[in-house]
Amino acid sequence: MDLSFAQQVIYQEEYARAQVPGPLATGLGIAGPTVIKYGTPEQKERWLRPMLRGDKVWAQAFSEPEAGSDLPALRTTARREGGTDDGEYVVNGQKVWNTHADISDLLFTLVRTGSQESRQRGISYLIIDSRAPGVTIRPLRDLTGGADFTEIFFDDVRVPAADRIGAENEGWRLVRTSLGHERAAGAMNQAARYRRVLDELIALAHERGATADPLVRDRLAQFDVLVRIMRYTGMRTISDIIARGEPGPASSTARLYTATFEQELHEFAIDLLGDDGLLRGSDPGAVQKGRWVWGFLRTRASTIGTGTAEIQRNTIAE
Ligand SMILES: Cc1cc2nc3c(=O)[nH]c(=O)nc-3n(C[C@H](O)[C@H](O)[C@H](O)COP(=O)(O)OP(=O)(O)OC[C@H]3O[C@@H](n4cnc5c(N)ncnc54)[C@H](O)[C@@H]3O)c2cc1C
């Protein structure tokens, strides 16, 4: 929308306040900025508008069973047949933990085009049609009972070289842009959303008579302060993007902050519910359809996905 900084802040806050379910942000938040920065004019034309309109859903296929924190260890291979720009790649390997890949149209993937020992120097960034022959996508159930992420198998999948972003073996440069934006994505939206969630938690505490306890009031006041800090951290991240075109290390600060905050908030909510904190959505008597229990289980993954808390700390330290 080409909004100014102030307008972005207002937009995100109104959006969250109105309780509008967000778009599937993987394409818009991660792949989009990468295509804008490194794509050819033809690729931008072909991919960006359908992504923005929501006509095409994008999913991220980076992680592998033996390559998570250590992403340069990835083993999915892409063997080129024909020219660098007009040939085809034949892709073989496995990806895992790919959010919403089962409902995606396109996968943005990292593949090995160099030797196995080449690490960062032998990786290319390929866009693969999720329904191409040889692609198998299976949902994986997580501890909330939902199945938001998947595992993907590539068996001799043929991908046009024209669907590679950036030069062959130079995909690692693009990864920094993708991961930085992934960590920054929704920084403002998260702050606005947690403002609303905290207000709902305060209402719940009142309803259950818990606010008579000064320790409960104290915790709620602390969370209020933390949500305000989250808002400033989000602003700092967005202003970094505006100033430098890249989120920079502030994105790891924002991500780590939000991840630990949402775990603490949900742990507190479960304590507040007492025995009712054991009831899940489908159980009779579940409080607010089990949303706090679901949130508690869901946020266990917050310090793993988008890079683990340890990796964020390493990035900040470096
Ligand atoms: C909810 C969720 C959604 C996800 N969505 C996607 C997705 O859409 N696409 C995708 O490609 N991937 C996705 N992932 C995968 C995610 O990126 C990886 O799980 C994550 O990077 C960690 O990798 P790993 O699981 O292999 O753990 P490992 O890398 O094996 O880590 C195991 C443990 O060792 C620690 N560790 C590893 N290396 C270091 C180090 N150098 N210093 C300190 N500690 C270290 C880690 O912090 C962790 O505690 C998702 C994960 C989750 C939980």
Side-chain angles (χ1 to χ4, degrees):
M1 289 185 290
D2 220 4
L3 298 182
S4 70
F5 177 52
Q7 286 169 326
Q8 286 194 43
V9 173
I10 295 167
Y11 171 77
Q12 294 292 352
E13 288 182 346
E14 290 303 320
Y15 198 86
R17 193 171 296 146
Q19 302 194 25
V20 181
L24 292 173
T26 312
L28 288 176
I30 311 172
T34 314
V35 175
I36 290 171
K37 186 159 180 190
Y38 293 101
T40 62
E42 184 275 326
Q43 290 175 331
K44 291 181 192 176
E45 185 62 34
R46 190 151 52 102
W47 289 325
L48 289 176
R49 192 160 298 279
M51 178 194 287
L52 195 57
R53 288 171 50 87
D55 291 342
K56 296 282 181 197
V57 174
W58 290 56
Q60 183 188 48
F62 285 3
S63 308
E64 298 184 1
E66 300 301 329
S69 302
D70 186 22
L71 207 46
L74 66 90
R75 296 179 156 274
T76 294
T77 55
R79 181 173 42 82
R80 180 160 47 78
E81 292 181 356
T84 349
D85 294 320
D86 59 358
E88 268 189 337
Y89 289 101
V90 182
V91 179
N92 282 287
Q94 187 194 344
K95 299 289 178 179
V96 72
W97 317 125
N98 318 102
T99 306
H100 295 141
D102 51 335
I103 55 161
S104 71
D105 301 292
L106 293 164
L107 303 166
F108 54 108
T109 62
L110 295 177
V111 292
R112 183 149 303 287
T113 37
S115 66
Q116 191 53 48
E117 302 72 45
S118 57
R119 303 267 306 166
Q120 286 95 326
R121 293 184 311 283
I123 290 174
S124 300
Y125 203 106
L126 275 193
I127 308 305
I128 301 181
D129 182 338
S130 310
R131 296 184 193 89
V135 179
T136 308
I137 304 179
R138 292 196 204 129
L140 291 174
R141 197 160 295 285
D142 64 42
L143 91 164
T144 65
D148 278 344
F149 51 38
T150 63
E151 57 184 350
I152 304 175
F153 300 87
F154 298 116
D155 292 301
D156 286 334
V157 180
R158 302 191 81 83
V159 182
D163 292 353
R164 184 191 68 236
I165 311 183
E168 189 175 85
N169 291 330
E170 287 185 19
W172 193 252
R173 287 173 61 206
L174 285 65
V175 173
R176 287 189 179 280
T177 302
S178 292
L179 293 186
H181 279 277
E182 175 171 10
R183 288 161 190 175
M188 280 313 302
N189 187 287
Q190 289 282 34
R193 193 165 73 82
Y194 273 111
R195 170 79 266 157
R196 178 170 58 73
V197 172
L198 180 59
D199 288 344
E200 288 161 355
L201 185 61
I202 293 171
L204 180 71
H206 277 305
E207 222 172 84
R208 298 178 71 88
T211 44
D213 181 346
L215 292 179
V216 169
R217 291 203 302 276
D218 190 52
R219 284 303 300 279
L220 291 172
Q222 282 171 16
F223 284 127
D224 198 279
V225 172
L226 293 176
V227 169
R228 285 166 200 238
I229 296 174
M230 193 187 294
R231 183 162 179 269
Y232 291 126
T233 309
M235 284 182 168
R236 187 167 53 176
T237 307
I238 292 187
S239 55
D240 267 5
I241 296 175
I242 290 171
R244 300 189 308 193
E246 288 278 345
S251 63
S252 282
T253 320
R255 176 64 200 156
L256 180 62
Y257 187 91
T258 305
T260 45
F261 168 85
E262 60 190 6
Q263 288 184 344
E264 281 174 27
L265 183 92
H266 285 96
E267 280 162 21
F268 174 75
I270 293 299
D271 285 346
L272 196 68
L273 288 176
D275 292 350
D276 289 345
L278 294 169
L279 301 175
R280 298 179 73 155
S282 52
D283 294 328
V287 176
Q288 298 181 348
K289 297 184 186 158
R291 68 172 279 199
W292 301 104
V293 184
W294 184 87
F296 171 77
L297 295 173
R298 177 70 185 80
T299 53
R300 295 294 90 198
S302 305
T303 42
I304 305 173
T306 319
T308 68
E310 290 76 20
I311 294 301
Q312 309 294 0
R313 289 193 180 98
N314 284 352
T315 306
I316 295 165
E318 280 163 13

